[in-house]
Amino acid sequence: MANDKTAHWKDLLRKRLASAKQDGRTEEEKKAEETELFTKYYTEWKRGEKGEDDSFKHIPRFYYRLPAEDEVLLQKLREESRAVFLQRKSRELLDNEELQNLWFLLDKHQVPPTTSDEAMISYESFLKVGEKAGAKCKLFFTARVYAKLLHNDPYGRISIMQFFNYVMRKVWLHQTRIGLSLYDVAGQGYLRESDLENYILELIPTLPQLDGLEKSFYSFYVCTAVRKFFFFLDPLHTGKIKIQDILACSFLDDLLELRDEELSKESQESNWFSAPSALRVYGQYLNLDKDHNGMLSKEELSRYGTGTLTSVFLDRVYQECLTYDGEMDYKTYLDFVLALENRKEPAALQYIFKLLDMENKGSLNVFALNYFFRAIQEQMKIHGQEPVSFQDVKDEIFDMVKPKDPYKITLQDLVNSGQGDTVTSILIDLNGFWTYENREVLVANDTDSNTADLDDP
């Protein structure tokens, strides 16, 4: 096809040259015609191949450019269209009345005999309920869902309560995703730090467990809550988190647990997002800030916890973490607290490992271990204790971690070993090392105290 077109152009050129001598037009007229012909043939060449392939007519457009900042009208159009789309998706979800009707239908079609006082339903009845429940419920009444919930019932039935909880969970996830998407300003499926701050700030009035918080503390509470999301879900510090990742983790469950007006004191204390927990963390920060300038110096941070973190480790904290004139702000302090309070978690181990990896090699060799443990030995001398041999500790660390390379330990080795929290505690915290060194005595004491409690009348 391309060869035919080339031959066609050659013929035209020959005819053009042959008739040029007989042409009585002016130069301007000739140039105008030449431009017209060039434009015509160039356009045909540019899109002619696409036009002859039928597949181009069926391939849908898959890329739409995002409007620029100065394209206000396009931005508004995009925002409105997204809002309409989310409203439509919201209307497709089951409301409370529809959920209640679904429960009545399921209860009406339960199949005897009951197992452990739990109502059961067979696959045949399951399909009947699906037909009566309406179009919104159709996606829940599939063989795949039924098979997921099928366990060891001898009659091949599933629990009505388990199925209903499954539906409730799915509806909640979709509702929450829509709610989070309303704060996704870019419309790209992720939330920036400011987006998540707005979401949590507007969520506070709906959480009864936070009723006692003063409005002046809201900004500190929001900062405390948002930091946990970004510390664990944004390890590369991109400044944004996928909405899917937020839904997949348990943090949102912990946050929305504060809707329960009768939440126990123990649950509140263990929940990072509760008012007592947020006030505890902020109160600790204020107590450490002896000069009341709103920032923490290295000397002030050294009193954190039991005050037994080594000076070598704290030096690394202030070398690697974001500081302002050598002092740490509240947001950086929150990362520090989250790392030390969750040492078993990969994100926390990554934080601490970066501080231990002085040469940025991605691994810890014997020199690095000795460098940090020497500070532990110095603290032991100060407290009148006999320093433990580094060789013994080094051997124990390598035995615990069992790294792929017998001469160095990587972050992945620490995570895979399940002993990362113990190893890091040995290297950075005298109290952590003492706990490890006396673990057998502590276990024996716990056993004795438990036995004594059982013997009490």
Side-chain angles (χ1 to χ4, degrees):
M1 185 63 68
N3 291 335
D4 292 343
K5 284 194 173 184
T6 304
H8 175 62
W9 290 342
K10 286 180 179 178
D11 291 340
L12 286 174
L13 286 171
R14 286 195 188 98
K15 291 177 182 179
R16 174 74 175 163
L17 292 171
S19 61
K21 297 178 182 179
Q22 302 172 2
D23 196 344
R25 292 176 302 169
T26 63
E27 287 298 322
E28 290 182 2
E29 290 174 336
K30 291 178 182 178
K31 283 185 179 180
E33 184 188 18
E34 184 179 327
T35 303
E36 183 182 345
L37 288 171
F38 173 79
T39 304
K40 176 185 173 184
Y41 292 129
Y42 179 78
T43 305
E44 288 178 0
W45 173 76
K46 200 65 175 161
R47 66 186 180 190
E49 293 295 327
K50 292 182 182 179
E52 293 182 15
D53 191 339
D54 290 338
S55 67
F56 284 97
K57 299 176 182 177
H58 306 294
I59 297 176
R61 182 176 178 183
F62 56 87
Y63 173 75
Y64 294 88
R65 179 182 64 84
L66 289 175
E69 291 184 5
D70 57 342
E71 295 175 321
V72 180
L73 188 59
L74 287 177
Q75 284 188 340
K76 290 292 182 184
L77 177 62
R78 178 179 170 78
E79 289 173 12
E80 287 299 318
S81 60
R82 283 190 68 249
V84 170
F85 170 76
L86 293 173
Q87 287 171 7
R88 187 174 75 245
K89 285 294 180 184
S90 183
R91 287 194 297 270
E92 292 173 3
L93 300 177
L94 295 168
D95 58 31
N96 289 335
E97 185 179 345
E98 288 166 329
L99 284 169
Q100 194 173 18
N101 291 336
L102 175 61
W103 173 256
F104 288 145
L105 277 172
L106 289 167
D107 189 53
K108 187 178 177 181
H109 287 77
Q110 62 176 285
V111 175
T114 57
T115 304
S116 303
D117 298 327
E118 195 169 7
M120 310 292 284
I121 189 170
S122 66
Y123 187 61
E124 292 77 10
S125 299
F126 177 78
L127 293 178
K128 289 178 183 177
V129 174
E131 292 173 1
K132 296 178 181 179
K136 287 186 180 181
C137 296
K138 189 176 180 180
L139 72 160
F140 300 115
F141 288 88
T142 63
R144 183 187 293 273
V145 172
Y146 191 89
K148 278 182 182 178
L149 302 174
L150 183 62
H151 297 301
N152 298 319
D153 183 70
Y155 304 98
R157 304 166 303 171
I158 63 171
S159 164
I160 288 176
M161 180 58 74
Q162 287 183 11
F163 172 70
F164 189 71
N165 286 339
Y166 171 84
V167 174
M168 290 274 285
R169 178 69 178 173
K170 283 287 187 180
V171 171
W172 178 84
L173 280 172
H174 286 300
Q175 284 176 340
T176 309
R177 178 162 190 170
I178 291 169
L180 288 169
S181 296
L182 291 171
Y183 293 85
D184 176 13
V185 177
Q188 296 293 291
Y190 59 79
L191 296 183
R192 300 168 303 176
E193 195 165 343
S194 58
D195 300 331
L196 194 54
E197 285 174 352
N198 291 333
Y199 172 74
I200 292 177
L201 183 62
E202 294 183 21
L203 194 66
I204 291 176
T206 70
L207 305 174
Q209 288 295 336
L210 301 180
D211 285 345
L213 286 182
E214 296 182 7
K215 289 194 174 182
S216 58
F217 186 69
Y218 277 12
S219 60
F220 295 102
Y221 174 82
V222 169
C223 180
T224 305
V226 168
R227 227 37 244 156
K228 181 163 187 176
F229 283 95
F230 274 85
F231 181 82
F232 288 102
L233 302 181
D234 183 29
L236 299 179
H237 305 291
T238 61
K240 57 189 180 184
I241 307 174
K242 286 183 180 179
I243 291 176
Q244 285 184 335
D245 291 343
I246 296 175
L247 293 170
C249 74
S250 62
F251 302 156
L252 210 53
D253 290 333
D254 295 340
L255 181 59
L256 298 178
E257 186 181 44
L258 303 179
R259 288 175 174 169
D260 184 359
E261 295 183 11
E262 299 178 358
L263 193 63
S264 66
K265 186 177 179 181
E266 292 76 15
S267 297
Q268 290 189 54
E269 288 176 352
S270 63
N271 188 335
W272 173 267
F273 302 101
S274 70
S277 175
L279 291 167
R280 170 185 65 83
V281 174
Y282 187 64
Q284 288 174 347
Y285 182 79
L286 293 180
N287 289 334
L288 292 173
D289 182 19
K290 286 300 180 184
D291 59 7
H292 306 294
N293 69 342
M295 310 282 276
L296 297 183
S297 64
K298 178 194 162 188
E299 183 182 350
E300 290 171 331
L301 187 64
S302 67
R303 294 183 294 105
Y304 172 81
T306 55
T308 53
L309 292 172
T310 65
S311 59
V312 171
F313 174 69
L314 292 173
D315 285 340
R316 288 292 296 149
V317 170
Y318 278 81
Q319 286 170 8
E320 290 291 333
C321 299
L322 179 64
T323 57
Y324 302 88
D325 294 328
E327 295 199 317
M328 178 185 290
D329 69 347
Y330 184 56
K331 189 179 289 187
T332 307
Y333 172 76
L334 287 172
D335 286 346
F336 178 80
V337 172
L338 285 165
L340 294 188
E341 289 189 357
N342 301 274
R343 296 183 206 185
K344 288 182 179 291
E345 299 297 326
L349 287 175
Q350 180 182 356
Y351 177 97
I352 299 173
F353 187 88
K354 182 181 178 182
L355 302 177
L356 298 177
D357 183 16
M358 298 178 296
E359 298 177 347
N360 293 320
K361 290 183 176 179
S363 62
L364 304 178
N365 55 21
V366 175
F367 173 80
L369 298 181
N370 186 31
Y371 179 80
F372 284 97
F373 189 72
R374 198 161 42 201
I376 296 288
Q377 292 174 318
E378 290 172 1
Q379 281 197 353
M380 293 180 75
K381 290 178 183 177
I382 293 172
H383 289 83
Q385 300 174 5
E386 185 67 26
V388 177
S389 166
F390 169 70
Q391 288 299 324
D392 294 341
V393 173
K394 179 205 72 172
D395 292 341
E396 288 186 38
I397 288 175
F398 274 87
D399 286 343
M400 278 191 287
V401 177
K402 296 180 176 58
K404 288 184 178 180
D405 187 324
Y407 298 103
K408 60 185 180 182
I409 297 171
T410 65
L411 173 60
Q412 196 58 51
D413 290 330
L414 277 182
V415 173
N416 293 342
S417 70
Q419 300 291 332
D421 58 321
T422 303
V423 172
T424 53
S425 296
I426 289 172
L427 296 173
I428 68 174
D429 185 0
L430 176 61
N431 189 54
F433 172 73
W434 184 88
T435 302
Y436 170 74
E437 192 70 5
N438 297 276
R439 59 195 180 282
E440 294 177 359
V441 177
L442 294 173
V443 169
N445 290 341
D446 287 344
T447 303
D448 292 342
S449 63
N450 290 337
T451 303
D453 289 341
L454 291 172
D455 291 341
D456 289 341

